[in-house]
Amino acid sequence: FPSTSCNEKVCANGDSGESNSSPQHGDLQTLQLIFRGILVPALEFEEMDGNSTSGFAPELLPSKFVHFITVPPIPEADESGANDGGKGEQDWIDTTFEYLMDGCISICLRSLVAFNSDSLVEEVLAMLNSCLLSDSGHLAVKGLRRLQQFVSQDLEMKDISDDTWATVSHMLFRVLSIRGLPPLSLPEKEGATEEQKKYLEQEYDETMNEFIREQRFFSNRRYIGCNAAMVIGSLLTNKLIEETMGVHWYIFLTSGLGKGIKDWERAAEILDSKTARPDTTPSPPHYLENVLYARRWMTKFLLSLLTQRDLSTLESAPCQRVLKEETESLLRAFLAKGSADEHCSAIEMRNISGMVIDILECFNSLGDDKLSTMKWLSPLLSACIQTNNGTIRTSVQILLTRMLKGANQTSSMANGNTPSEDTL
């Protein structure tokens, strides 16, 4: 790596328009080749570890994770190491990964000064993306947590370009999805013969069975969802990062988390219909537990969008769309969990009810100017008017009354009439 004197020379000449044939440019290219040819392939050591794709690993759970289906880890056992399945800490992921990433990021940070270029930032992100796409849930979670540290602590905000935020956002968006997730229903083919329909059914059943087999074998990839939600949450609740990232990527990641929640609910439906729920044996989190954890973060994002000062942002189509979709998703989940034919634990219902109460209280605290931009809210609230939860029912009634009064006033003014005192 260039010496200090060379670094100073490069910084001093950084704006002098050096050609791509300069020694400094050659050094940067060499470092890029080292990343791609030596450092990234080093991650394959974890891929070759047979214990990296399945099994119980409570150290991969984020803090404040709520268990209501699987067995929670025993705190006393965590301290003694009894929860690690006898694995110990001799695996490559425990002994080498952090040192490898620390070295790579150190080179990247020095290159920002030496070459006045963020090219190695892209290489580090590519390296972390390899972790996120790995079959190993353990490596993917380590990559997620290192990604969070990289953009929130290692890099200075001035060194993070919009292109970097775009890359990070798309990495997080992709990791929220579940690979191989079958479609909601059997695909229909117009004009298909009985033989073709039978073939499509067999193909659909095989896709479903393959998905279940993969979920069993790569069971610790279920740790990825809750950690991805945690990383997104830590970024979007950091005011400095939120301002630097911009509202576009804020809404993009919020929407991505919403899509992830839908995918996890679908995966839970498939697995519960084909396999028995976990017994007393410790196991990776159930997809519905990931859903609940993600919804808690989602509620914070929605509250932040609703309470922002910039009315133009709130009125924008992307913001209105994500508010409508995710509010509807939360309310539908609340109604479904409260129905007689839906099995729901007391812990899950208490958490979802609390989120709904928080959202409704926030809506009720909005001024008339903001509330008037959300005409889509009335149909969603009408479905909750008969809920047994008194707090939620009262909030819904107050909110519907406000929205009806606002609609009447708008209608009167549009017709050239001045609202009467009774109307007001």
Side-chain angles (χ1 to χ4, degrees):
F1 201 86
S3 64
T4 303
S5 59
C6 182
N7 288 352
E8 293 172 352
K9 180 180 178 182
V10 172
C11 291
N13 298 332
D15 298 328
S16 61
E18 293 179 355
S19 68
N20 287 346
S21 61
S22 67
Q24 289 78 15
H25 181 76
D27 290 340
L28 183 58
Q29 283 189 323
T30 300
L31 287 171
Q32 288 176 307
L33 291 173
I34 290 173
F35 265 86
R36 297 170 191 178
I38 299 175
L39 300 178
V40 174
L43 298 172
E44 294 175 4
F45 284 106
E46 172 63 9
E47 296 281 5
M48 293 185 289
D49 182 1
N51 296 322
S52 68
T53 56
S54 61
F56 179 58
E59 71 276 8
L60 301 184
L61 289 170
S63 61
K64 299 181 180 180
F65 187 84
V66 177
H67 297 265
F68 57 91
I69 297 176
T70 58
V71 179
I74 304 172
E76 294 79 6
D78 282 340
E79 296 177 3
S80 64
N83 265 333
D84 63 4
K87 179 182 65 171
E89 294 190 356
Q90 300 305 313
D91 294 335
W92 181 91
I93 193 75
D94 297 308
T95 60
T96 310
F97 176 79
E98 294 294 346
Y99 291 106
L100 173 65
M101 292 309 306
D102 284 345
C104 292
I105 290 174
S106 177
I107 294 172
C108 171
L109 297 179
R110 292 182 65 187
S111 76
L112 287 170
V113 177
F115 304 113
N116 194 27
S117 168
D118 65 353
S119 295
L120 292 193
V121 172
E122 297 174 8
E123 300 300 331
V124 170
L125 292 178
M127 194 171 185
L128 291 170
N129 194 49
S130 296
C131 298
L132 270 54
L133 299 177
S134 166
D135 287 339
S136 166
H138 204 154
L139 182 58
V141 171
K142 287 278 191 178
L144 278 166
R145 294 179 178 180
R146 206 63 179 84
L147 175 63
Q148 174 195 357
Q149 182 179 333
F150 182 54
V151 297
S152 63
Q153 299 178 30
D154 298 330
L155 290 174
E156 295 183 29
M157 290 297 108
K158 66 180 180 62
D159 294 325
I160 306 181
S161 65
D162 190 60
D163 287 343
T164 299
W165 282 125
T167 301
V168 170
S169 298
H170 281 282
M171 286 170 61
L172 292 171
F173 190 97
R174 284 194 297 270
V175 82
L176 289 164
S177 62
I178 302 175
R179 62 188 181 190
L181 183 65
L184 290 172
S185 59
L186 177 68
E188 296 183 3
K189 185 177 180 181
E190 188 175 352
T193 64
E194 289 300 321
E195 184 177 349
Q196 289 174 325
K197 290 180 179 179
K198 185 176 181 181
Y199 173 77
L200 289 173
E201 289 177 6
Q202 291 174 345
E203 193 175 55
Y204 182 74
D205 290 341
E206 178 55 34
T207 302
M208 193 76 72
N209 292 331
E210 176 62 27
F211 174 73
I212 293 171
R213 285 193 296 268
E214 185 170 303
Q215 286 295 309
R216 288 173 178 169
F217 187 74
F218 299 110
S219 61
N220 77 358
R221 284 189 63 83
R222 294 204 296 272
Y223 287 104
I224 297 175
C226 52
N227 278 276
M230 179 270 293
V231 171
I232 292 173
S234 68
L235 296 178
L236 299 192
T237 54
N238 182 313
K239 287 299 180 184
L240 180 59
I241 290 178
E242 180 187 344
E243 293 172 1
T244 306
M245 176 188 290
V247 70
H248 171 73
W249 296 117
Y250 189 105
I251 293 175
F252 179 83
L253 287 174
T254 302
S255 178
L257 185 59
K259 181 181 179 300
I261 288 173
K262 291 183 178 67
D263 284 354
W264 303 339
E265 287 177 327
R266 170 64 179 155
E269 180 184 341
I270 293 173
L271 294 177
D272 286 350
S273 67
K274 301 291 184 179
T275 59
R277 281 201 170 187
D279 51 18
T280 56
T281 305
S283 64
H286 192 280
Y287 275 118
L288 289 181
E289 293 174 328
N290 281 344
V291 167
L292 181 64
Y293 181 81
R295 283 198 194 280
R296 289 160 61 192
W297 282 113
M298 177 62 75
T299 303
K300 292 183 179 181
F301 304 157
L302 297 180
L303 294 176
S304 178
L305 287 173
L306 288 169
T307 55
Q308 64 181 309
R309 296 180 179 179
D310 187 0
L311 185 59
S312 62
T313 298
L314 186 63
E315 292 176 337
S316 67
C319 186
Q320 287 291 308
R321 182 166 55 251
V322 75
L323 284 171
K324 178 180 182 296
E325 290 176 355
E326 301 313 323
T327 301
E328 180 178 15
S329 176
L330 178 60
L331 293 178
R332 287 188 185 279
F334 168 72
L335 293 172
K337 300 300 180 184
S339 65
D341 57 348
E342 176 79 15
H343 173 74
C344 177
S345 74
I347 296 175
E348 186 181 14
M349 193 66 202
R350 183 170 63 250
N351 275 271
I352 292 180
S353 298
M355 296 177 217
V356 173
I357 290 171
D358 289 342
I359 285 289
L360 293 179
E361 286 180 350
C362 184
F363 277 120
N364 270 319
S365 69
L366 298 178
D368 292 338
D369 55 338
K370 287 187 175 182
L371 201 58
S372 63
T373 66
M374 304 174 195
K375 296 178 175 60
W376 46 264
L377 189 57
S378 293
L380 302 183
L381 295 175
S382 299
C384 301
I385 200 69
Q386 299 297 330
T387 178
N388 292 327
N389 187 303
T391 303
I392 293 177
R393 187 171 62 249
T394 300
S395 293
V396 167
Q397 291 171 345
I398 294 173
L399 196 49
L400 283 173
T401 301
R402 283 188 62 196
M403 297 192 74
L404 180 60
K405 183 181 294 186
N408 289 337
Q409 290 178 11
T410 302
S411 177
S412 297
M413 293 175 69
N415 293 327
N417 299 325
T418 303
S420 65
E421 292 183 3
D422 292 337
T423 305
L424 295 172

